[in-house]
Amino acid sequence: MPIIISDHMDPDVDFYVPPGSDATKALQEALQLSLVYGVAHIIIRGRLYVYASSQVTLLLDQSLHYIFEGDGLGEIIYVNPNNLSSVPPLVAIGSISTVEMQYITNNNGVANKQEAGYSTWGWIIAFKNMRLINLTPQRWVIITGMPYHMHSIMFYFDSVQFFANIWLNQTGTVLLYNCYANNAELLFDTQSRELMAIGCRFENGSNLAISPRGWTVVGCVFVGTNITYLNPGTDGNNGSVVGCVFDGATIVTQGADNLKIVATQFQNVTFNGGSVQLTQGINYGIVGCSFVNYNVVISDLYRGHTIFIAFNNFDDGSNLVILIRDNYVVDSITILGNLFSSIPTHNSFIFIAGSPSPGQSLQLSGTVNMLYVAFNTFINSSHTSGAAYGYELANNYRIHAFAYINVAISIIYAYIAFNYFQQNYGLYNNSTGKPIGFFSLQQLTTNVKTVQNLFFYFNVNENNPMYIPSSQAYTAQFNIGIKQ
Amino acid sequence: MIDVSEGNSSVNLDRRKFLFLTSSAILFSTPATLLITAKDRKEIAKAQTSSSSIYPYIAIVEGDPSNGYNVLTNSGVIFNGSCTDGSGTCGIYEAIQYLQNNYGQGEVVLLGKFYPIKSPITSPPNNIEITGSGMICINPGSAPMFISLLPIISNEIKILWYTNTGIINKILTKRRSFSLLPYVLFTGTIQSLLFANGDQALGTPSQFTISAWIFGKPSGYTGYILSYGSLEDGEAWGIRASSNDIIFEGTTGSISAPFPSNIPFHLVVTYSNGQAAIYINGNQVASGSISVNYPNRTYLWINNFPIHSQQGGLNVGSWYSIIENIQFYTTVLSSSQISTLSSSIAQDPVTILVFWSLYRYLMYLGDLITGIGFQRMGALFYGGVT
């Protein structure tokens, strides 16, 4: 039987909290009463105000499972009527039993010692049908973490509306399901694991910041100006973004490895300024996505490995920009089976250039070992004439929009194959006025070498020029519209 | 005519009129007259706010400890006395008996505050309802009867513990959390409960008494029953059942006695400044010197304390083991107090104590004194209320 706390005097209410008064005591006594059942299933009916005090209001120790559930939708509003200068978070957790398990003996073992220390054996903290609002100066309404970097905390947020920030560390499984964040920061930080965000909406400057290794964001919506963002953090590795919708919002990484963005829609429809900004990681994969007026910038690549961009459409001002850090090497870049569809002043081109080393000026001294550009289609969908714009690099360097494919970095091997370079219908470079070509190599600094092995095979090029230095040799076979 | 005072939520019936009726000559002079009319009955039922009874016959039990209790029936007053008189149920059982014997059915209406002390029946009688607005304060003696009668006692009647030890009545005011059977069953040697209340959960007393009832068997491994310590910092003391012995060990030194041949049994360990003793079923069976040093982190472990063996708990008594009615005092109890504790598996504390985990009669997975629960969500820990 759940324990009901309400600001309404219904006959089934266990703890009545008059509107506007402090619900702290009711919540704490409800937790105590929950020991009758071994699980704290607390129903929040109506709106509860929790007055900040010097102590954390809800210290969830490892004695109960916790399910805080709104009746329809319950609200907890964390307020600071006493104007405390130092406000603790509303919710924190205890960890004594998990700490103890770090020291369990191996003798007569029934559980692997690491497993015993790692697992909380199904300890659940769940919030359902709740609206959490924080009106205190404390930045985080929930702060949790475990000692010893254990990845042990399981949280379930089901249909929770966040008007408050949360900061969870050392997570095990965390599920955000059907949640809503408004100007809220959901941060899953140090030594976290296994986050799933499914069917959630982030808007109005909200962000989902992720450090877990192993996470997925499925069917979520990120809407608003570019301060609404999905942020896989420095070690937010091994994450997937699948079937999401971005409108004006941003994906920005800080070095997350193995990020896969799949079947996701990026369109600046209602809002402007959205972008995809992946940086410093390896093995990025962007597959089956749609970009409309959305630049994709993958920058400061310095740790080898690969970048894989396949089966996407880049429409109406959606450039694909890949930048390699000075003096570093990316093993391969594969751009496969995409549509790059430009219109005047909103070109969708490929730019491959460089990023400066931290604290240095740009040298363009990075290298791509292997570049595959294959099975792509490049068109001017408007069939009308107009300007195309390049991309601003660091230190006022600019890689120009001379061609559908623009390179300003050293490449060892480049295979340009099976592409369709439709006639440009009068698209021209904004600064030179020259017609858009199908390929350009721009030696913006002397560090940019000619492509050591440049091959064009099986392409169709409808009379678009190629802009390469006179010293650039290449091999072209089985093409239409490219001189051998 | 019995008036109903609807504005009074604790005693709906106008007590002055009721007492007049119960003591009046009219009542005694007209035993064959149906004193409580159908209309009166409706009024009472209405006042009770519960759904109306299906039974046409009622017996009213009213009273309080200072004035005594009356059972008012259509045969007159059939009981008049205290809670120790008659069946030891303040007349409640007498009222049930009356209705059963005369009509085979009926409704017992309770008005007032009752302190029954005995359990003449331990299963619900057929075709009887207990309603009213009274409060029944049970003790270990009457708990079996009134817990078993819960299905026929209306929700308007409060059932509390007879003495407000710790948080018992705070809990019972909110929930009827009763169980005739113990609800914490250890189904193997690996399960345990961990009580943490700060870094030294039970303090660092120089003398103490531990009391518990045990249903289990000695283990081939460490066989911990109760222990105080942490896996991180070590053991302050432990009570173990190993090699067919009951062992009480301190940080150094131990005393032991043969494991009793019959289970369940009552176990007490006393300790006072280096001197320890073991009592089985109220009788001292071992004593000697041990030393107890308290580590920085010291928790009370119930059953397994996996410091030397992951299977470090008591062997099961059948398919489960039970360690129940655990009481911890920071004094050394007298032999008579220990004898009292050994008299009943649900015996109340005999003096002020700092930890009490009952496990039967009152369902509460934690310390009834502080209201703090067990830490139990780690691996190998107990998984929940069964």
Side-chain angles (χ1 to χ4, degrees), chain A residues 62 65 97-98 101 110-124 152-154, chain B residues 190 310 376-384:
Chain A
Q62 294 181 296
H65 298 287
S97 71
T98 304
M101 284 296 114
V110 294
N112 173 277
K113 186 177 165 109
Q114 183 192 8
E115 188 83 25
Y118 177 96
S119 174
T120 51
W121 248 236
W123 185 34
I124 292 172
S152 307
I153 305 170
M154 296 205 300
Chain B
I190 64 169
Q310 285 195 9
R376 64 202 176 96
M377 295 304 163
L380 307 183
F381 281 10
Y382 201 77

PDB file of all heavy atoms in Angstrom, chain A residues 62 65 97-98 101 110-124 152-154, chain B residues 190 310 376-384:
ATOM      1  N   GLN A  62      20.581   2.887   1.972  1.00  0.00           N
ATOM      2  CA  GLN A  62      20.352   1.602   1.328  1.00  0.00           C
ATOM      3  C   GLN A  62      19.537   0.670   2.219  1.00  0.00           C
ATOM      4  O   GLN A  62      19.882  -0.474   2.422  1.00  0.00           O
ATOM      5  CB  GLN A  62      21.689   0.984   0.946  1.00  0.00           C
ATOM      6  CG  GLN A  62      22.388   1.818  -0.119  1.00  0.00           C
ATOM      7  CD  GLN A  62      23.709   1.249  -0.548  1.00  0.00           C
ATOM      8  OE1 GLN A  62      24.628   1.171   0.235  1.00  0.00           O
ATOM      9  NE2 GLN A  62      23.810   0.852  -1.794  1.00  0.00           N
ATOM     10  N   HIS A  65      13.951   0.372  -1.082  1.00  0.00           N
ATOM     11  CA  HIS A  65      13.787   0.806  -2.458  1.00  0.00           C
ATOM     12  C   HIS A  65      12.908   2.062  -2.416  1.00  0.00           C
ATOM     13  O   HIS A  65      12.050   2.190  -1.543  1.00  0.00           O
ATOM     14  CB  HIS A  65      13.098  -0.260  -3.304  1.00  0.00           C
ATOM     15  CG  HIS A  65      13.871  -1.537  -3.395  1.00  0.00           C
ATOM     16  ND1 HIS A  65      15.020  -1.653  -4.146  1.00  0.00           N
ATOM     17  CD2 HIS A  65      13.678  -2.741  -2.824  1.00  0.00           C
ATOM     18  CE1 HIS A  65      15.487  -2.884  -4.036  1.00  0.00           C
ATOM     19  NE2 HIS A  65      14.702  -3.566  -3.235  1.00  0.00           N
ATOM     20  N   SER A  97      26.232   0.056   2.818  1.00  0.00           N
ATOM     21  CA  SER A  97      26.298  -1.378   2.519  1.00  0.00           C
ATOM     22  C   SER A  97      27.172  -1.632   1.302  1.00  0.00           C
ATOM     23  O   SER A  97      27.877  -2.631   1.236  1.00  0.00           O
ATOM     24  CB  SER A  97      24.897  -1.953   2.316  1.00  0.00           C
ATOM     25  OG  SER A  97      24.341  -1.503   1.109  1.00  0.00           O
ATOM     26  N   THR A  98      27.124  -0.725   0.338  1.00  0.00           N
ATOM     27  CA  THR A  98      27.972  -0.913  -0.837  1.00  0.00           C
ATOM     28  C   THR A  98      29.448  -0.775  -0.471  1.00  0.00           C
ATOM     29  O   THR A  98      30.294  -1.515  -0.975  1.00  0.00           O
ATOM     30  CB  THR A  98      27.582   0.101  -1.923  1.00  0.00           C
ATOM     31  OG1 THR A  98      26.202  -0.043  -2.198  1.00  0.00           O
ATOM     32  CG2 THR A  98      28.361  -0.138  -3.193  1.00  0.00           C
ATOM     33  N   MET A 101      30.597  -3.924   1.142  1.00  0.00           N
ATOM     34  CA  MET A 101      30.807  -5.037   0.211  1.00  0.00           C
ATOM     35  C   MET A 101      32.157  -4.969  -0.502  1.00  0.00           C
ATOM     36  O   MET A 101      32.614  -5.939  -1.082  1.00  0.00           O
ATOM     37  CB  MET A 101      29.668  -5.066  -0.817  1.00  0.00           C
ATOM     38  CG  MET A 101      28.377  -5.628  -0.269  1.00  0.00           C
ATOM     39  SD  MET A 101      28.492  -7.350   0.219  1.00  0.00           S
ATOM     40  CE  MET A 101      28.253  -7.197   1.977  1.00  0.00           C
ATOM     41  N   VAL A 110      30.147 -17.106  -2.876  1.00  0.00           N
ATOM     42  CA  VAL A 110      28.935 -17.306  -3.669  1.00  0.00           C
ATOM     43  C   VAL A 110      28.764 -16.152  -4.656  1.00  0.00           C
ATOM     44  O   VAL A 110      27.968 -16.239  -5.567  1.00  0.00           O
ATOM     45  CB  VAL A 110      27.677 -17.405  -2.785  1.00  0.00           C
ATOM     46  CG1 VAL A 110      27.733 -18.653  -1.944  1.00  0.00           C
ATOM     47  CG2 VAL A 110      27.528 -16.179  -1.906  1.00  0.00           C
ATOM     48  N   ALA A 111      29.494 -15.089  -4.448  1.00  0.00           N
ATOM     49  CA  ALA A 111      29.464 -13.966  -5.375  1.00  0.00           C
ATOM     50  C   ALA A 111      30.898 -13.519  -5.625  1.00  0.00           C
ATOM     51  O   ALA A 111      31.711 -13.474  -4.701  1.00  0.00           O
ATOM     52  CB  ALA A 111      28.656 -12.805  -4.800  1.00  0.00           C
ATOM     53  N   ASN A 112      31.161 -13.223  -6.890  1.00  0.00           N
ATOM     54  CA  ASN A 112      32.456 -12.660  -7.223  1.00  0.00           C
ATOM     55  C   ASN A 112      32.680 -11.381  -6.429  1.00  0.00           C
ATOM     56  O   ASN A 112      31.791 -10.549  -6.309  1.00  0.00           O
ATOM     57  CB  ASN A 112      32.469 -12.378  -8.727  1.00  0.00           C
ATOM     58  CG  ASN A 112      33.694 -11.648  -9.169  1.00  0.00           C
ATOM     59  OD1 ASN A 112      33.752 -10.436  -9.061  1.00  0.00           O
ATOM     60  ND2 ASN A 112      34.670 -12.388  -9.654  1.00  0.00           N
ATOM     61  N   LYS A 113      33.849 -11.251  -5.867  1.00  0.00           N
ATOM     62  CA  LYS A 113      34.106 -10.114  -4.984  1.00  0.00           C
ATOM     63  C   LYS A 113      33.894  -8.782  -5.706  1.00  0.00           C
ATOM     64  O   LYS A 113      33.331  -7.837  -5.149  1.00  0.00           O
ATOM     65  CB  LYS A 113      35.531 -10.218  -4.438  1.00  0.00           C
ATOM     66  CG  LYS A 113      35.875  -9.168  -3.402  1.00  0.00           C
ATOM     67  CD  LYS A 113      37.286  -9.396  -2.865  1.00  0.00           C
ATOM     68  CE  LYS A 113      37.754  -8.165  -2.116  1.00  0.00           C
ATOM     69  NZ  LYS A 113      37.833  -8.341  -0.691  1.00  0.00           N
ATOM     70  N   GLN A 114      34.337  -8.705  -6.945  1.00  0.00           N
ATOM     71  CA  GLN A 114      34.139  -7.463  -7.693  1.00  0.00           C
ATOM     72  C   GLN A 114      32.651  -7.202  -7.920  1.00  0.00           C
ATOM     73  O   GLN A 114      32.171  -6.082  -7.774  1.00  0.00           O
ATOM     74  CB  GLN A 114      34.863  -7.523  -9.036  1.00  0.00           C
ATOM     75  CG  GLN A 114      34.748  -6.224  -9.819  1.00  0.00           C
ATOM     76  CD  GLN A 114      35.219  -6.365 -11.255  1.00  0.00           C
ATOM     77  OE1 GLN A 114      35.497  -7.452 -11.715  1.00  0.00           O
ATOM     78  NE2 GLN A 114      35.301  -5.257 -11.953  1.00  0.00           N
ATOM     79  N   GLU A 115      31.950  -8.278  -8.245  1.00  0.00           N
ATOM     80  CA  GLU A 115      30.507  -8.140  -8.465  1.00  0.00           C
ATOM     81  C   GLU A 115      29.818  -7.701  -7.169  1.00  0.00           C
ATOM     82  O   GLU A 115      28.924  -6.859  -7.176  1.00  0.00           O
ATOM     83  CB  GLU A 115      29.946  -9.481  -8.925  1.00  0.00           C
ATOM     84  CG  GLU A 115      28.494  -9.428  -9.371  1.00  0.00           C
ATOM     85  CD  GLU A 115      28.364  -8.953 -10.802  1.00  0.00           C
ATOM     86  OE1 GLU A 115      29.330  -9.119 -11.556  1.00  0.00           O
ATOM     87  OE2 GLU A 115      27.307  -8.401 -11.145  1.00  0.00           O
ATOM     88  N   ALA A 116      30.244  -8.299  -6.064  1.00  0.00           N
ATOM     89  CA  ALA A 116      29.641  -7.951  -4.782  1.00  0.00           C
ATOM     90  C   ALA A 116      29.864  -6.479  -4.453  1.00  0.00           C
ATOM     91  O   ALA A 116      28.975  -5.799  -3.948  1.00  0.00           O
ATOM     92  CB  ALA A 116      30.216  -8.834  -3.680  1.00  0.00           C
ATOM     93  N   GLY A 117      31.058  -6.008  -4.753  1.00  0.00           N
ATOM     94  CA  GLY A 117      31.348  -4.618  -4.464  1.00  0.00           C
ATOM     95  C   GLY A 117      30.729  -3.656  -5.454  1.00  0.00           C
ATOM     96  O   GLY A 117      30.456  -2.501  -5.138  1.00  0.00           O
ATOM     97  N   TYR A 118      30.482  -4.139  -6.647  1.00  0.00           N
ATOM     98  CA  TYR A 118      29.989  -3.282  -7.718  1.00  0.00           C
ATOM     99  C   TYR A 118      28.472  -3.153  -7.677  1.00  0.00           C
ATOM    100  O   TYR A 118      27.928  -2.072  -7.828  1.00  0.00           O
ATOM    101  CB  TYR A 118      30.427  -3.907  -9.048  1.00  0.00           C
ATOM    102  CG  TYR A 118      29.960  -3.234 -10.303  1.00  0.00           C
ATOM    103  CD1 TYR A 118      30.767  -2.315 -10.965  1.00  0.00           C
ATOM    104  CD2 TYR A 118      28.726  -3.544 -10.848  1.00  0.00           C
ATOM    105  CE1 TYR A 118      30.347  -1.724 -12.135  1.00  0.00           C
ATOM    106  CE2 TYR A 118      28.299  -2.955 -12.022  1.00  0.00           C
ATOM    107  CZ  TYR A 118      29.110  -2.041 -12.651  1.00  0.00           C
ATOM    108  OH  TYR A 118      28.683  -1.456 -13.801  1.00  0.00           O
ATOM    109  N   SER A 119      27.832  -4.261  -7.427  1.00  0.00           N
ATOM    110  CA  SER A 119      26.381  -4.279  -7.582  1.00  0.00           C
ATOM    111  C   SER A 119      25.675  -3.840  -6.313  1.00  0.00           C
ATOM    112  O   SER A 119      26.125  -4.112  -5.205  1.00  0.00           O
ATOM    113  CB  SER A 119      25.920  -5.696  -7.942  1.00  0.00           C
ATOM    114  OG  SER A 119      24.509  -5.754  -7.956  1.00  0.00           O
ATOM    115  N   THR A 120      24.547  -3.177  -6.487  1.00  0.00           N
ATOM    116  CA  THR A 120      23.678  -2.909  -5.346  1.00  0.00           C
ATOM    117  C   THR A 120      22.534  -3.915  -5.307  1.00  0.00           C
ATOM    118  O   THR A 120      21.555  -3.701  -4.604  1.00  0.00           O
ATOM    119  CB  THR A 120      23.109  -1.483  -5.414  1.00  0.00           C
ATOM    120  OG1 THR A 120      22.548  -1.287  -6.706  1.00  0.00           O
ATOM    121  CG2 THR A 120      24.191  -0.460  -5.154  1.00  0.00           C
ATOM    122  N   TRP A 121      22.676  -4.962  -6.066  1.00  0.00           N
ATOM    123  CA  TRP A 121      21.711  -6.063  -6.048  1.00  0.00           C
ATOM    124  C   TRP A 121      20.294  -5.561  -6.270  1.00  0.00           C
ATOM    125  O   TRP A 121      19.373  -5.921  -5.582  1.00  0.00           O
ATOM    126  CB  TRP A 121      21.836  -6.856  -4.745  1.00  0.00           C
ATOM    127  CG  TRP A 121      22.376  -8.253  -4.924  1.00  0.00           C
ATOM    128  CD1 TRP A 121      21.779  -9.411  -4.520  1.00  0.00           C
ATOM    129  CD2 TRP A 121      23.602  -8.639  -5.537  1.00  0.00           C
ATOM    130  NE1 TRP A 121      22.568 -10.477  -4.857  1.00  0.00           N
ATOM    131  CE2 TRP A 121      23.679 -10.046  -5.479  1.00  0.00           C
ATOM    132  CE3 TRP A 121      24.649  -7.947  -6.154  1.00  0.00           C
ATOM    133  CZ2 TRP A 121      24.762 -10.754  -6.010  1.00  0.00           C
ATOM    134  CZ3 TRP A 121      25.721  -8.650  -6.668  1.00  0.00           C
ATOM    135  CH2 TRP A 121      25.767 -10.035  -6.595  1.00  0.00           C
ATOM    136  N   GLY A 122      20.181  -4.681  -7.237  1.00  0.00           N
ATOM    137  CA  GLY A 122      18.845  -4.258  -7.634  1.00  0.00           C
ATOM    138  C   GLY A 122      18.239  -3.144  -6.807  1.00  0.00           C
ATOM    139  O   GLY A 122      17.021  -2.999  -6.752  1.00  0.00           O
ATOM    140  N   TRP A 123      19.062  -2.350  -6.217  1.00  0.00           N
ATOM    141  CA  TRP A 123      18.549  -1.201  -5.452  1.00  0.00           C
ATOM    142  C   TRP A 123      17.942  -0.188  -6.418  1.00  0.00           C
ATOM    143  O   TRP A 123      18.571   0.229  -7.383  1.00  0.00           O
ATOM    144  CB  TRP A 123      19.710  -0.568  -4.673  1.00  0.00           C
ATOM    145  CG  TRP A 123      19.286   0.547  -3.762  1.00  0.00           C
ATOM    146  CD1 TRP A 123      18.131   0.648  -3.074  1.00  0.00           C
ATOM    147  CD2 TRP A 123      20.059   1.704  -3.437  1.00  0.00           C
ATOM    148  NE1 TRP A 123      18.123   1.803  -2.326  1.00  0.00           N
ATOM    149  CE2 TRP A 123      19.293   2.469  -2.537  1.00  0.00           C
ATOM    150  CE3 TRP A 123      21.323   2.168  -3.823  1.00  0.00           C
ATOM    151  CZ2 TRP A 123      19.755   3.675  -2.016  1.00  0.00           C
ATOM    152  CZ3 TRP A 123      21.773   3.358  -3.309  1.00  0.00           C
ATOM    153  CH2 TRP A 123      20.993   4.114  -2.404  1.00  0.00           C
ATOM    154  N   ILE A 124      16.731   0.215  -6.147  1.00  0.00           N
ATOM    155  CA  ILE A 124      15.996   1.063  -7.086  1.00  0.00           C
ATOM    156  C   ILE A 124      15.662   2.404  -6.446  1.00  0.00           C
ATOM    157  O   ILE A 124      15.178   2.466  -5.324  1.00  0.00           O
ATOM    158  CB  ILE A 124      14.675   0.373  -7.518  1.00  0.00           C
ATOM    159  CG1 ILE A 124      14.980  -0.858  -8.362  1.00  0.00           C
ATOM    160  CG2 ILE A 124      13.790   1.344  -8.279  1.00  0.00           C
ATOM    161  CD1 ILE A 124      13.742  -1.683  -8.645  1.00  0.00           C
ATOM    162  N   SER A 152      27.182   1.918  -9.632  1.00  0.00           N
ATOM    163  CA  SER A 152      26.237   1.072  -8.920  1.00  0.00           C
ATOM    164  C   SER A 152      24.840   1.640  -8.788  1.00  0.00           C
ATOM    165  O   SER A 152      23.943   0.924  -8.387  1.00  0.00           O
ATOM    166  CB  SER A 152      26.767   0.813  -7.499  1.00  0.00           C
ATOM    167  OG  SER A 152      28.079   0.319  -7.559  1.00  0.00           O
ATOM    168  N   ILE A 153      24.632   2.878  -9.053  1.00  0.00           N
ATOM    169  CA  ILE A 153      23.351   3.486  -8.705  1.00  0.00           C
ATOM    170  C   ILE A 153      22.362   3.288  -9.838  1.00  0.00           C
ATOM    171  O   ILE A 153      22.648   3.611 -10.984  1.00  0.00           O
ATOM    172  CB  ILE A 153      23.521   4.985  -8.435  1.00  0.00           C
ATOM    173  CG1 ILE A 153      24.587   5.210  -7.367  1.00  0.00           C
ATOM    174  CG2 ILE A 153      22.193   5.582  -8.009  1.00  0.00           C
ATOM    175  CD1 ILE A 153      24.970   6.651  -7.225  1.00  0.00           C
ATOM    176  N   MET A 154      21.208   2.769  -9.500  1.00  0.00           N
ATOM    177  CA  MET A 154      20.163   2.627 -10.501  1.00  0.00           C
ATOM    178  C   MET A 154      19.080   3.665 -10.234  1.00  0.00           C
ATOM    179  O   MET A 154      18.565   3.760  -9.121  1.00  0.00           O
ATOM    180  CB  MET A 154      19.560   1.229 -10.457  1.00  0.00           C
ATOM    181  CG  MET A 154      20.560   0.145 -10.809  1.00  0.00           C
ATOM    182  SD  MET A 154      19.782  -1.330 -11.446  1.00  0.00           S
ATOM    183  CE  MET A 154      18.755  -1.790 -10.074  1.00  0.00           C
TER     184      MET A 154
ATOM    185  N   ILE B 190      23.902 -17.034   3.520  1.00  0.00           N
ATOM    186  CA  ILE B 190      24.521 -15.843   2.937  1.00  0.00           C
ATOM    187  C   ILE B 190      23.748 -14.567   3.243  1.00  0.00           C
ATOM    188  O   ILE B 190      24.277 -13.472   3.074  1.00  0.00           O
ATOM    189  CB  ILE B 190      24.677 -15.976   1.405  1.00  0.00           C
ATOM    190  CG1 ILE B 190      23.319 -16.080   0.725  1.00  0.00           C
ATOM    191  CG2 ILE B 190      25.558 -17.156   1.067  1.00  0.00           C
ATOM    192  CD1 ILE B 190      23.410 -15.947  -0.781  1.00  0.00           C
ATOM    193  N   GLN B 310      31.826 -16.025   3.019  1.00  0.00           N
ATOM    194  CA  GLN B 310      30.632 -15.429   2.400  1.00  0.00           C
ATOM    195  C   GLN B 310      29.366 -16.162   2.841  1.00  0.00           C
ATOM    196  O   GLN B 310      28.277 -15.618   2.732  1.00  0.00           O
ATOM    197  CB  GLN B 310      30.753 -15.453   0.876  1.00  0.00           C
ATOM    198  CG  GLN B 310      31.710 -14.421   0.318  1.00  0.00           C
ATOM    199  CD  GLN B 310      31.548 -14.220  -1.176  1.00  0.00           C
ATOM    200  OE1 GLN B 310      30.624 -14.723  -1.794  1.00  0.00           O
ATOM    201  NE2 GLN B 310      32.479 -13.477  -1.764  1.00  0.00           N
ATOM    202  N   ARG B 376      20.554  -2.873   3.406  1.00  0.00           N
ATOM    203  CA  ARG B 376      20.415  -4.252   2.960  1.00  0.00           C
ATOM    204  C   ARG B 376      20.425  -4.398   1.455  1.00  0.00           C
ATOM    205  O   ARG B 376      20.055  -5.422   0.924  1.00  0.00           O
ATOM    206  CB  ARG B 376      19.134  -4.848   3.505  1.00  0.00           C
ATOM    207  CG  ARG B 376      17.914  -4.142   2.968  1.00  0.00           C
ATOM    208  CD  ARG B 376      16.719  -4.341   3.850  1.00  0.00           C
ATOM    209  NE  ARG B 376      15.614  -3.568   3.335  1.00  0.00           N
ATOM    210  CZ  ARG B 376      14.683  -4.060   2.548  1.00  0.00           C
ATOM    211  NH1 ARG B 376      14.698  -5.305   2.217  1.00  0.00           N
ATOM    212  NH2 ARG B 376      13.718  -3.303   2.093  1.00  0.00           N
ATOM    213  N   MET B 377      20.853  -3.369   0.750  1.00  0.00           N
ATOM    214  CA  MET B 377      20.790  -3.479  -0.701  1.00  0.00           C
ATOM    215  C   MET B 377      22.130  -3.809  -1.324  1.00  0.00           C
ATOM    216  O   MET B 377      22.353  -3.596  -2.483  1.00  0.00           O
ATOM    217  CB  MET B 377      20.219  -2.195  -1.296  1.00  0.00           C
ATOM    218  CG  MET B 377      18.791  -1.979  -0.888  1.00  0.00           C
ATOM    219  SD  MET B 377      17.749  -3.373  -1.309  1.00  0.00           S
ATOM    220  CE  MET B 377      16.330  -3.047  -0.273  1.00  0.00           C
ATOM    221  N   GLY B 378      23.065  -4.309  -0.521  1.00  0.00           N
ATOM    222  CA  GLY B 378      24.319  -4.761  -1.083  1.00  0.00           C
ATOM    223  C   GLY B 378      24.229  -6.223  -1.457  1.00  0.00           C
ATOM    224  O   GLY B 378      23.301  -6.932  -1.088  1.00  0.00           O
ATOM    225  N   ALA B 379      25.202  -6.663  -2.188  1.00  0.00           N
ATOM    226  CA  ALA B 379      25.253  -8.062  -2.548  1.00  0.00           C
ATOM    227  C   ALA B 379      25.248  -8.910  -1.288  1.00  0.00           C
ATOM    228  O   ALA B 379      25.834  -8.552  -0.278  1.00  0.00           O
ATOM    229  CB  ALA B 379      26.511  -8.327  -3.347  1.00  0.00           C
ATOM    230  N   LEU B 380      24.610 -10.030  -1.350  1.00  0.00           N
ATOM    231  CA  LEU B 380      24.500 -11.007  -0.266  1.00  0.00           C
ATOM    232  C   LEU B 380      23.564 -10.551   0.848  1.00  0.00           C
ATOM    233  O   LEU B 380      23.274 -11.294   1.760  1.00  0.00           O
ATOM    234  CB  LEU B 380      25.869 -11.338   0.353  1.00  0.00           C
ATOM    235  CG  LEU B 380      26.958 -11.766  -0.592  1.00  0.00           C
ATOM    236  CD1 LEU B 380      28.218 -12.118   0.176  1.00  0.00           C
ATOM    237  CD2 LEU B 380      26.502 -12.959  -1.418  1.00  0.00           C
ATOM    238  N   PHE B 381      23.085  -9.344   0.766  1.00  0.00           N
ATOM    239  CA  PHE B 381      22.209  -8.871   1.826  1.00  0.00           C
ATOM    240  C   PHE B 381      20.798  -9.372   1.596  1.00  0.00           C
ATOM    241  O   PHE B 381      20.431  -9.823   0.537  1.00  0.00           O
ATOM    242  CB  PHE B 381      22.201  -7.340   1.877  1.00  0.00           C
ATOM    243  CG  PHE B 381      23.396  -6.774   2.548  1.00  0.00           C
ATOM    244  CD1 PHE B 381      24.470  -7.572   2.882  1.00  0.00           C
ATOM    245  CD2 PHE B 381      23.461  -5.426   2.828  1.00  0.00           C
ATOM    246  CE1 PHE B 381      25.583  -7.049   3.499  1.00  0.00           C
ATOM    247  CE2 PHE B 381      24.569  -4.887   3.439  1.00  0.00           C
ATOM    248  CZ  PHE B 381      25.629  -5.699   3.778  1.00  0.00           C
ATOM    249  N   TYR B 382      20.031  -9.214   2.626  1.00  0.00           N
ATOM    250  CA  TYR B 382      18.640  -9.622   2.557  1.00  0.00           C
ATOM    251  C   TYR B 382      17.889  -8.751   1.559  1.00  0.00           C
ATOM    252  O   TYR B 382      18.089  -7.557   1.498  1.00  0.00           O
ATOM    253  CB  TYR B 382      18.013  -9.500   3.948  1.00  0.00           C
ATOM    254  CG  TYR B 382      16.788 -10.327   4.110  1.00  0.00           C
ATOM    255  CD1 TYR B 382      16.894 -11.692   4.301  1.00  0.00           C
ATOM    256  CD2 TYR B 382      15.546  -9.741   4.021  1.00  0.00           C
ATOM    257  CE1 TYR B 382      15.751 -12.465   4.427  1.00  0.00           C
ATOM    258  CE2 TYR B 382      14.416 -10.517   4.140  1.00  0.00           C
ATOM    259  CZ  TYR B 382      14.524 -11.873   4.355  1.00  0.00           C
ATOM    260  OH  TYR B 382      13.406 -12.629   4.460  1.00  0.00           O
ATOM    261  N   GLY B 383      17.023  -9.366   0.782  1.00  0.00           N
ATOM    262  CA  GLY B 383      16.452  -8.658  -0.350  1.00  0.00           C
ATOM    263  C   GLY B 383      15.160  -7.931  -0.098  1.00  0.00           C
ATOM    264  O   GLY B 383      14.744  -7.133  -0.901  1.00  0.00           O
ATOM    265  N   GLY B 384      14.473  -8.185   0.992  1.00  0.00           N
ATOM    266  CA  GLY B 384      13.226  -7.481   1.194  1.00  0.00           C
ATOM    267  C   GLY B 384      12.303  -8.258   2.107  1.00  0.00           C
ATOM    268  O   GLY B 384      12.605  -9.365   2.533  1.00  0.00           O
TER     269      GLY B 384
END
